[in-house]
Structure formats: structure tokens, C-alpha cells
Amino acid sequence: MITIKNVSKWYGEFHVLKKCSTEVDRGDVVVVCGPSGSGKSTLIKCVNGLEAFQEGEILVDGISVGARQTNLSKLRARVGMVFQHFELFPHLKVIQNLTIAQCKVLGRGKEEASQKGLKLLETVGLAAHADKFPAQLSGGQQQRVAIARALAMDPIAMLFDEPTSALDPEMIKEVLDVMVKLAEEGMTMMVVTHEMGFAREVADRVIFMDHGEIVEDRPKTDFFNTRGTDRAQQFLSKILSHSGGLS
Amino acid sequence: MYEFDWSSIPGALPFLWAGMLLTLQITGVAIFVGIVLGTVIALFRLSKNKFLSGLAALYVTGFRSVPLVMVLLWFYLLVPQLITGLFGHFDLDIRLLSAFVAFALFEASYYAEIIRAGIQSVSRGQASAGLALGMTGGQAMRLIILPQAFRRMIPLLLTQAIILFQDTSLVYVIGLSEFFGVAYNTGNRDGTLVELLLFAGAIYFIISFGVSLLVRVLQTKFAL
């Protein structure tokens, strides 16, 4: 579904991504973790072309993201993305947040888009908030709306860029629950996150990045149970030291 | 002690009203054209295309660097020649036309800067979110960025509109009588300048203040 081949990217002199290669198959859930500045957010933003890259190739459902002749808008409409800071449209009501792209991008009718939107709000448990503005919702609720907004486009895959790192601790679970449900329903997902509990529960593979490189790319059980590189080990011990440690 | 003499005002009211209509016409045209053209210039200015952004910068700097009175006079002196040259004849009120054109183009340069700042105040993440949903750059600008930018700009746009409303009095230099001009001429003729200017000032205040109040009410009502 998503193939990343030898992707390199520079910001001026700074080498952000170094020959990154990996794959996400249909129905797979791949978690990407690593210290801040390791390039994981940049990598996921390359997948839907929000960030350009200078070398390598990324294929999404067989379509090359970096190719000149690719209609990026059309491709992005089929790949959902959830952002760290939600990025709901504050001037639109919750339901309008869910319908605007359905109408303007997919050309769906208002009625159809609304029905679809309401149904999705229901699945994330927020149907009662359809007519509110995003600012009236809590962070966790906003992020669930953002997930519903992306799902409204009937995406073939979902990208999550640190979906819980801007949330208060008590709201993280409600967002993760929605994501777990999505994973269990078979959605193809690429998730940048530090939530190792989520990775243990639903990930098929875990990718560890550091300094722009993919250092480890292993099946979940391997990643958590057998010792890998020192860098990954160090990282894990740091982020797990407050949540019970490694089993 | 000075004795106020308000007697010349009632008779002058129809003329003052006609003057006010002209003032409002010029203001209205300048706000409308100014915002539309200002938006285009702001988008040019923010464009990655060096030629377009340079052109926009030149426009803004150019108009900001000369007094409005001078722009007004230039258009008064140039526009008729230009139109006669292009179409061979000319039968419009040139004073009115030059006032419309000069004010609109001049205001566009100020609005362009306000709008540019407004667009830049909307976070990049908002554009990314629009793009990620499959919108084109133009759609994201039109549906996501501009609506938010304009809401934030309302106080500044209003201030600029009020300044413009009051600046229209400058059209006296090309022989047009708008509200202030009528008041001044009437007062001068009847020897009641103080009264007429006090009256005109009161009207300016009422309209400017009224519009500010109205905008504030609308802002809270529609949660803009």
C-alpha cells in the first residue's frame, strides 16, 4: 500500500532523512517512534506530499508521490491524515469540518455528506456535538473529530502524526481507543507516536528512527521482546521508565 | 461671548445630504475595490513567484510613499487624457471618475498589507490540513485561510474604512463637493463657518462611531 524507497531529504545543509526505506502493507499498522528531531514527522509528511523530498521514491497504492505528473490533491484525498495539533477549521462547525472536503473535493451532495459525517461522529462518540464549534470541545474531543474528518473521505490509508502528544494525559485514552478500533477494523495505518501501549496492542511492526535514519524496522513482538540496537534500547528505557518498564 | 447662529443649516441640508451621498459613494467604491484588489495584491506578495511578489511590493511601496492628495491630482490630470487617447471621446464626469479610481487604487495598497498580515497570522497547519484533505492550494486559501484571516482583520479593516471615510474630504482639490466641502462652503458664504464645522464634525462622529458599534454587535452576534 505504502512503499518508501531510499528517501532522502535536506533542509538546506541539514540532512533530515537519510535513505529511508520501509513498507506498509494493506491492513497493516506500523508505529514509527524515535527521539524528537529524528525525522519521523517529516517522513510521514512525505508520504502524502506535504513535505517534498529530494531523493528516492514513495509509492502510495502504486502512485508515485514525488513524480511531477502525479495529481497530489487527488492522491491526498484518498489518504487521511491526523495532526498533532488537530487542525480543525475553527471557523466551521464540527459537522461542517466533516463535510467541507466531501463536498468541495469529492463532489458529494450536502445531504449525503452530512449523513456520512453524522454517522462518523457517532462512531467516535461525538454525535451530540455536531453543531458546536471546535473551540467548544476538549482536546481529546477535537482530535476525535479530526479522525472522523479524515475518515469521511473514505481513505485507503491513515497517517497519524503524533496524534496524542498535544493532549492532557486524561484525554489520551479516548483518542487511542478510537485508533485501536480503527486498527481492528483493518485500516492501513502509519502512526508516529510515543504511545508504546498502543504499539503493543495493535501494531504489526515498529520502526525506530534516529538522526534521520530508520535504525530498526521489526515486528512488534521482536521489537519489544528481543534486544535490538543500543540506540533503540536507550530510547525505550527512557520513555518506558515512567510507565512500568519493559516486561 | 460668541453667539451661535445655526440658521443657515436647515436650508443647506439638501446640499449637505447630496455631499454625504458622494462621500459614501467614494468610500463604498474604495472599500469594495480596495479589498478585492488588495486581496489579489496580498496573494501576489505572498506568492513564491519572484516576479509577482516583486510587482506587488512595488505597488504597495509606491502608493504608500506618496500623499493621497497627489495621487488624486495625478489621476485627475492623467485619466481624461488616457481615456480620450484610448476611445477618442470622453463624456463622463472626470472629477468623479478620478476620485473613484484614485481612492480605490490608493486604498488597495493599504488593504493589501492588512490582508497579507491577516493571511500570515493563520497557522501553516491549517493550510496543511486543507491540503491533506485533497484540497488544491486555491481551495485551501479560499475555504480555509481567507475566511479565518478576514475575521481577524475586521478591526483593522474597520479602522482603515473610517480613515478613508474621513479622507474623502480631500476631493476638494479636484473641485468636487462632498459632505465636508459643502459644509465648508456654506459656512464660508453665510459667515457661520464655526457652526457648520461643528455640525459636520458631529455628523462624522455619529457615522464613524455608529459603524464601529454596528461592527462590534455583528462580531459578537455571529461569533466572527
Side-chain angles (χ1 to χ4, degrees), chain A residues 76 87-88 90-91 104 153, chain B residues 126 131-133 139 143 148:
Chain A
R76 287 183 187 131
E87 305 297 352
L88 293 179
H91 61 298
K104 302 286 179 181
M153 305 294 284
Chain B
Q126 286 287 303
L131 293 177
L133 285 166
Q139 281 179 318
L143 302 168
Q148 293 182 56

Side-chain angles (χ1 to χ4, degrees), chain B residues 99-121:
Chain B
F100 282 156
V101 173
F103 270 97
L105 295 185
F106 193 82
E107 288 305 310
S109 69
Y110 282 82
Y111 279 126
E113 283 300 276
I114 296 176
I115 293 164
R116 177 169 73 112
I119 290 172
Q120 285 176 322
S121 79

Side-chain angles (χ1 to χ4, degrees), chain A residues 117-127 181:
Chain A
L118 281 173
K119 219 175 90 194
L120 282 164
L121 281 178
E122 218 163 283
T123 63
V124 298
L126 292 169
K181 206 164 108 192

Side-chain angles (χ1 to χ4, degrees), chain B residues 62-79:
Chain B
F63 274 100
R64 272 201 314 203
S65 312
V66 289
L68 176 55
V69 182
M70 224 180 255
V71 177
L72 211 51
L73 278 169
W74 283 342
F75 275 97
Y76 179 53
L77 300 171
L78 287 179
V79 172

Side-chain angles (χ1 to χ4, degrees), chain A residues 52-83:
Chain A
F53 49 92
Q54 284 87 24
E55 275 176 19
E57 192 181 31
I58 296 181
L59 297 173
V60 176
D61 198 27
I63 299 162
S64 170
V65 177
R68 256 174 202 286
Q69 68 272 17
T70 299
N71 183 338
L72 264 186
S73 304
K74 220 168 167 179
L75 182 65
R76 287 183 187 131
R78 301 171 62 212
V79 180
M81 184 160 214
V82 175
F83 297 86

Side-chain angles (χ1 to χ4, degrees), chain A residues 79-124:
Chain A
V79 180
M81 184 160 214
V82 175
F83 297 86
Q84 181 177 5
H85 298 287
F86 329 136
E87 305 297 352
L88 293 179
F89 306 131
H91 61 298
L92 300 175
K93 287 178 178 171
V94 165
I95 185 69
Q96 293 170 321
N97 264 277
L98 271 75
T99 56
I100 187 165
Q102 288 190 68
C103 297
K104 302 286 179 181
V105 176
L106 301 180
R108 285 183 187 151
K110 260 205 165 136
E111 196 52 36
E112 186 192 356
S114 268
Q115 274 176 11
K116 174 117 198 159
L118 281 173
K119 219 175 90 194
L120 282 164
L121 281 178
E122 218 163 283
T123 63
V124 298

Side-chain angles (χ1 to χ4, degrees), chain A residues 5-9 15 17-21 55 212 214:
Chain A
K5 266 189 265 177
N6 288 321
V7 168
S8 288
K9 177 181 172 69
H15 204 167
L17 296 176
K18 300 172 187 162
K19 291 201 174 294
C20 295
S21 295
E55 275 176 19
I214 292 183

